[in-house]
Amino acid sequence: MTPETLAEKVLSAARAAFEALGLDAAVLPAHTAVERPRDPKHGDYASNIALQSAKKAGTNPRALAEQIARNLAATDGVAKVDIAGPGFLNITLDAAAAGEIAGKIVAAGPVYGDNGSMAGHHINLEFVSANPTGPVHVGGTRWAAVGDALARVMRSSGAKVTAEYYFNDAGVQISNFAASLLASAKGEPTPENGYGGEYIGEIAQQVLQQRPDALESEDPKEVFREIGVGLMFDEIKADLGNFGTHFDVYFNEKDLHDKGELDAALARLDQQGHIFESEGAVFLRTTTFGDDKDRALKKSNGEWTYFAADCAYYLDKRDRGFDKLVLMLGADHHGYIGRMQAMSQAFGDKPGTLEILIGQMVNLLKDGQPVRMAKRYGNVITLNDIVEAIGVDAARYVLARYSSDSTIDIDIDLWTKHGNDNPVYYVQYAHSRTCGIARNAADRGVERGDGYDAALLNQPQETGLLKVLAEFPSVVATAAELREPHRIARYAEELAAAWHRFQNAGLRILPYPDEETTPVHVARLWLTDATRVVLANALGLLGVSAPERM
RNA sequence: GCCUCAGUAGCUCAGCUGGAUAGAGCACCGGACUUCUAAUCCGAUGGUCGCAGGUUCGAAUCCUGCCUGGGGCGCCA
């Protein structure tokens, strides 16, 4: 029995109890969940539904719990229901009901964990969106790992997700980038507000290779801009590809300008009555919707602001039919939330249509000191620096392992260690052990048959493992709902721990070479298969490899 | 000054949409390999959940104020 099924049974037992006691069942929640108690003495699962609903129903929690327990105890698969403390229901399942989950997991395979919690949602998820004036830096790398994992988690939860990269190929930064390339090609010093670093020189030389006459052309800076931005962006895409991060759409800011979408957005906002002019500039009255101050869309010199392009881009996304736009930004952009949310509402959208996630800073440490990567890109730490330091798997894992609200210090020594203090190795090693056992089973000709006797999985290490396995779909659903993929990593570690405990408990999975295969061996082999599936699926959601041998 | 994130064991962090005795890894101490991967496991030690109030039957979790640290407050992008 899955926790979800059990929760439904708890709820119907509660409804029946309300009826029996003549209480108003309307105070019961539409859905409830069971939790896995820390202390195994508290049974396999616990429910606090009596505590939560007793007050609303104006009754005693323990009396209510007793009635619910009586109903629940009569349910198939439930072995025992105890009442503890102020009114908790402690539920123990039949061993067979608990053990059957292994077979269900094996049957589901790669789709075990999929759930419908976000079915029907069409989500645009924008992340990284680094300017093509340089490589993807640490902050962008965090989102490359977290955003990609979140996209996978949401898809697994039934949402239709478009992963999108906004490519700022217009504006002042790009102009500075082009000017820097041009200066480098001419052997001049880096201009004010320009970009330094060896890569500028390298790209400038590549532009000259493609267009030897670039400096003599009619508009040399435009030639360097056009080709240089292309080269830089190809490099970014290659780095992201190497990192395993996939985008469905690369959106060009320039297209917004070329198609006149900024004017259209301004007109729309004007129509809604939220535009005013002041001292020759055009403003959006974002203070109407709680922003600190009103924001300029058009400067007094007639140029658009960056925010104006954001408005147009927002509208473009909405017109493409997404019902929710999720935007992942670095902590240094948190001041943008106010104006962005205000803009969303100025367009007439409901609060919650636009969701902005903020990720805190990332530091790379060696011997407790910040690492300085004074190479191609000046002092900026890039995606490739992190990959070179600890590898793709460890990089993706460490970045996705922590809540986005926490700053991350990546200790290079820790994340390159091959031991259980390195969480990514710990989880991968558990997976590779399950694969090793499957190989050994095949070598020795141990057959799985059509099924197994679920009641034989009754040792504490086995029932503990089964409970962790059963939790996976709800962990995925919660990670999607809260936009917190780090929950997947923490879960994977918990599962790996439960697996290693089972392994070290002296419970043989395969028979010794001179032994007959018994039903217990077969049941444990199914449990092993189920564990392998879930570890692989969890690592897959994080975009981390699940090696078969280590 | 305002906004925002964090403050939980010696260290790094989970837990935070209110529930039972606050968890994990590392470090430290003591154990377990003739046996499917010991890159592992078991046990012990270790905490005024930053501080002070408040709400509640119940607060690490919610509210208010304060303290400490990170980040941010442009007609920059």
Side-chain angles (χ1 to χ4, degrees), chain A residues 74-280:
Chain A
T75 307
D76 269 354
V78 174
K80 192 171 64 146
V81 183
D82 292 325
I83 297 160
F88 289 101
L89 295 168
N90 289 340
I91 305 160
T92 305
L93 298 183
D94 288 335
E100 70 189 24
I101 187 78
K104 289 182 180 167
I105 291 168
V106 173
V111 301
Y112 178 67
D114 285 6
N115 64 90
S117 62
M118 291 189 73
H121 285 288
H122 190 191
I123 293 175
N124 183 283
L125 183 64
E126 184 199 333
F127 55 104
V128 184
S129 296
N131 278 356
T133 55
V136 178
H137 50 80
V138 264
T141 308
R142 182 177 197 162
W143 284 134
V146 175
D148 192 59
L150 183 56
R152 294 173 197 234
V153 164
M154 285 175 156
R155 286 184 187 119
S156 181
S157 297
K160 200 172 151 195
V161 179
T162 295
E164 187 151 327
Y165 186 119
Y166 181 54
F167 174 42
N168 301 114
D169 54 350
V172 177
Q173 304 272 35
I174 292 296
S175 176
N176 293 340
F177 175 69
S180 303
L181 293 176
L182 179 59
S184 169
K186 288 182 179 169
E188 293 171 0
T190 304
E192 199 180 341
N193 298 323
Y195 294 85
E198 293 170 22
Y199 75 106
I200 291 291
E202 291 172 20
I203 291 176
Q205 290 308 310
Q206 286 179 56
V207 174
L208 286 174
Q209 272 176 19
Q210 287 188 29
R211 286 283 301 271
D213 63 336
L215 289 169
E216 289 77 42
S217 65
E218 193 176 326
D219 185 352
K221 188 177 156 190
E222 173 55 22
V223 174
F224 279 90
R225 187 202 63 77
E226 167 100 39
I227 301 175
V229 164
L231 289 168
M232 191 70 244
F233 200 46
D234 287 345
E235 197 174 315
I236 290 171
K237 281 181 176 171
D239 291 347
L240 289 167
N242 178 49
F243 197 59
T245 296
H246 169 78
F247 287 96
D248 302 299
V249 173
Y250 285 97
F251 191 96
N252 293 338
E253 179 188 355
K254 203 164 172 296
D255 288 347
L256 293 171
H257 292 271
D258 294 347
K259 291 180 187 166
E261 295 194 33
L262 279 77
D263 284 302
L266 177 58
R268 185 90 73 96
L269 291 165
D270 198 13
Q271 211 172 36
Q272 306 275 339
H274 302 305
I275 296 296
F276 68 97
E277 289 191 31
S278 173
E279 298 177 25

Side-chain angles (χ1 to χ4, degrees), chain A residues 500-511:
Chain A
H500 286 310
R501 263 197 296 280
F502 169 53
Q503 276 287 276
N504 283 52
L507 304 171
R508 288 292 307 186
I509 296 165
L510 302 177

Side-chain angles (χ1 to χ4, degrees), chain A residues 18 21-24 27 50-61 63-64:
Chain A
F18 268 63
L21 297 169
L23 300 168
D24 178 12
V27 306
L51 282 168
Q52 286 184 332
S53 54
K55 193 181 176 186
K56 290 181 193 164
T59 187
N60 177 304
L64 179 58

Side-chain angles (χ1 to χ4, degrees), chain A residues 409-430:
Chain A
D409 291 328
I410 302 178
D411 178 336
I412 292 179
D413 298 322
L414 170 63
W415 289 92
T416 49
K417 209 184 273 185
H418 292 200
N420 72 343
D421 13 349
N422 180 346
V424 70
Y425 275 92
Y426 183 75
V427 175
Q428 288 181 320
Y429 178 56

